[in-house]
Structures are given as C-alpha cells and as structure tokens.
Amino acid sequence: MRRVDAVVVGAGPAGAAAAATLARAGRDVVVVDRARFPRDKCCGDGLTALALRELEALGLDPDVVPSWTRVAEAVVRSPGGREVVYPLPPGPGSHSVVARRAELDAALVQLARDAGAEVHEGHALLDATETDDGVRLTVDGIGEVSAAWAVGADGMWSPLRKALDAATPGYLGEWHAFRQYFRGATTEDARRLWVWFDADLLPGYAWSFPVGEGVVNVGFGLLRGAGTPIRDMKRLWPDLLDRPHVRRVLGPTAEPEEPHKAWPIPARVDGILLTTRRALFVGDAAAATDPMTGEGIGQALETGRLAAEAIIAGGGAAAIRDGYTRTVQRALVPDHRLARRLGGVLGRRSLAEAAIRITGSTGWTRRNFGRWLFEDYPRALLLTPGRWHRGMFHGPGAYPDR
C-alpha cells in the first residue's frame, strides 16, 4: 500500500487548487477523480474578480482556455422591466470573465500535474477510513492509498463525506439551477452579460453569459422551497426562452448546442462540518457557494488553497483542522451571511425593484455596485475591519498585463 502526504478526492477547481498548492510546497500528492477530463460541468461559467485573482495566483494561463471571454459590463433587468448597465473597471486587468467549465477545469487539472501532483482520472473513490495518524482510501482501479490527510473536493454529495460518516442524509442543496448552451447568438446584446430578475423567479434569476464565437450560456436558478417548485423547472424552461427580453438577446438565429442540464447548488458553509479527524472539505463539498448569486468557483479555489495551506503549516492534526476552519470562517462566512440576508431582500418584488433602481441611480452607484457584485472585494468588507487593506476599493483586476 502506497503512503503519501495527501490524497485529493476530486479534480475540479477546489481539488486542483489544493493539489497544486501542496505539490509546489514539496508534498507528495495523489489526486483521484471518477471523471476523465475534459468533462462538462453544469455551471453558469462566470468568473468573478475573486475567482480570477485565485486563478492568477495559482498560475493559470488564460491562453490555454479557448472560451476565455472578458466581460466589460453587466446588464440587470428588474422585475418591472428596468434595465441598468453596471460597468466594470476598464483596466488594468479583468474583473469578470466567462469560460466554459469543460475547458477551465481541464486546464486546472493540467496545472496540478505540471505542479507535481499525481493525477488519476477515471478512478472513483470506493471507501475511506480514518485513524489517528492518517486516512486510508480504496480507489477503483488503483487499490489502497494511505495518506496523512485527505482533501474532499468531490462535490455536494461527496463520497468521501459519506465514507467518513460526515454527510447530511437527504441534503438537496439550497439552490437548483438549469442551463443550456446556444450557438448562433450573433446580436450585439448577446455579447453582454445579462441577469434577469423576472418576478416569477424571485429570489432566483435567469442569465445569459457570452462564451465567445456566438455561443451563450443561458440558464436560471431557483431557491429551493421558494417560488417555482423545483419539479417544474423543465416545464418553465421553454416559457422563459420565449420571453421577449430573452429572445431579444438570443436573436433569431440562436439554436441549442446541446440538451439542457440541471444541478443542485450547496450554500451553507456557515453550517456544515468542514473537517473530520483527517479530512478537510473544500468547494461544493464544503457548501461554499455564494447564497445570493450561486457563484462558487472563486470560493472553491479559495477553500482548496486554504486547506492546502493549513496542511503545509502543520503543527499537529488539531492545529491543522482548527487552522483551516478559522481561515474559512474569516474569509467566507461574513460575506456568506450578508449575501444570504440580501438574497432575502431580492425575494420580494418591490424590494428587488427598489434595489435595482437605487444601485442604478448614478454613475458612481453603478460603477461601485458592479465591483461589489463581482466580488472585487469581500462583500462584507466594511463590517470586518480585520480584512481592510490599502487600495481595497480601487485595485486593478486580475491579469493586469493582458
């Protein structure tokens, strides 16, 4: 049986970030994932400033992601039909990008390999047990691997959580989303990033995000237990696509590139067990998604990095567990709780209408709300002085030399 420093279960953004960070610090790292890359991942494909800065720090080269599409502005439509343009800083750097997850995740897997991690694609976790000094994993096609630590980056229904008796029975996530790619979207509006707060979706929303070459990612997300029942999402889809403001963006020549897909979104990082004796959970396995927008790539990358840094810091098992939990609570929980409260505001039509009217009232409010919405700085920054730093409201975007 092979012994390594760490096994990362799951090779998505959270797992790749953890593996690359550990490998660059000289740790012997094995990554296992039941999928083979590139593989599709149901997602809106949007990358906020938080995600972009994490990717930049990780060393990802945007040129290896063909669909990498920089976004200059977002257009938000209120329940009453008011459309407000929120510009993002023109540079230097990017504050929002759209990139297909199939391409982005494959690039991150290669980055982890290049960093020195040993990646096994197409090998599912079968079982795991913990001891005081490590964790033993049984992996399909590989056999047993022993490690000092396991990093669970294997999604909302994490097999590692289940194997270690740390899962929540019957958990279905806080949100559910629906997505389909359309090609032939050649209108000028299709090149913009759109968010539609239609009244029957509140507190959810619909979107159209450009991924280059006349292709758009179109979808909608619903809060579980509010608004349209989850079971009716498939029936709602053709009606949503037929709405005049959506048809105007897609244009007359847009057609589906592939069948639509649906997926759940976990968003309760402040109420989930982040660790067991010898495992740290990251990304969707840590339910780290933003509860207001459903964005999770930045949070996945950040939690993956924080887990790796906790293991690298060492100091004993308890110190590593406590260190990781503290950094996640400091980095994510204040923003998570604020976003959840604000999401409640958007659940009421009158309040959503007022919020869009106020944030769109002047050039200053539009510019600054755009930066806040795309996580250019932590959303609850004003309420957490410990995270203040020079230039926190006026810094450049990621990849400023591009």
Side-chain angles (χ1 to χ4, degrees), residues 157-237:
W157 290 307
S158 164
L160 182 63
R161 271 194 181 276
K162 292 179 182 178
L164 300 179
D165 294 324
T168 302
Y171 179 53
L172 297 175
E174 279 64 43
W175 286 78
H176 208 78
F178 206 88
R179 178 270 274 163
Q180 190 167 29
Y181 288 113
F182 284 79
R183 60 175 175 262
T186 57
T187 69
E188 190 65 32
D189 275 338
R191 298 186 180 94
R192 308 166 88 183
L193 188 153
W194 287 84
V195 176
W196 297 295
F197 285 105
D198 287 14
D200 59 333
L201 302 181
L202 297 177
Y205 63 95
W207 69 78
S208 175
F209 294 170
V211 292
E213 299 183 345
V215 179
V216 290
N217 177 322
V218 184
F220 69 104
L222 298 176
L223 182 65
R224 188 171 290 278
T228 301
I230 299 300
R231 65 179 180 273
D232 292 339
M233 291 182 76
K234 185 176 180 179
R235 188 179 66 187
L236 176 61
W237 186 232

Side-chain angles (χ1 to χ4, degrees), residues 70-86:
R70 186 175 182 270
V71 174
E73 61 186 22
V75 187
V76 176
R77 187 179 191 272
S78 76
R82 177 192 298 268
E83 293 181 356
V84 178
V85 178
Y86 296 96

Side-chain angles (χ1 to χ4, degrees), residues 25 46 67 82 128 147 159 186 211 236 246 255 268 274 316 321 363 374:
S67 59
R82 177 192 298 268
T186 57
V211 292
L236 176 61
V246 177
E255 58 181 13
R268 57 184 187 114
L274 294 172
R321 291 192 302 266
F374 284 90

Side-chain angles (χ1 to χ4, degrees), residues 326-358:
R326 282 197 306 272
T327 56
V328 170
Q329 289 175 341
R330 181 174 183 268
L332 275 71
V333 169
D335 308 302
H336 181 93
R337 289 176 175 169
L338 175 63
R340 186 165 55 208
R341 289 195 291 270
L342 292 174
V345 171
L346 294 176
R348 297 178 59 182
R349 176 172 179 164
S350 60
L351 295 179
E353 194 75 45
I356 294 170
R357 183 179 68 251
I358 292 168

Side-chain angles (χ1 to χ4, degrees), residues 16-57:
T21 303
L22 285 164
R24 287 171 180 162
R27 302 304 194 269
D28 190 8
V29 186
V30 168
V31 183
V32 298
D33 196 301
R34 65 181 179 182
R36 293 187 180 275
F37 294 78
R39 58 93 178 95
D40 189 27
K41 171 70 174 178
C42 284
C43 182
D45 294 338
L47 300 172
T48 63
L50 167 63
L52 292 170
R53 291 196 175 98
E54 290 286 339
L55 290 170
E56 182 183 28

Side-chain angles (χ1 to χ4, degrees), residues 130-151:
E130 290 177 301
T131 65
D132 289 337
D133 63 352
V135 59
R136 180 177 297 181
L137 298 93
T138 304
V139 182
D140 180 40
I142 296 176
E144 290 191 346
V145 181
S146 175
W149 288 95
V151 176

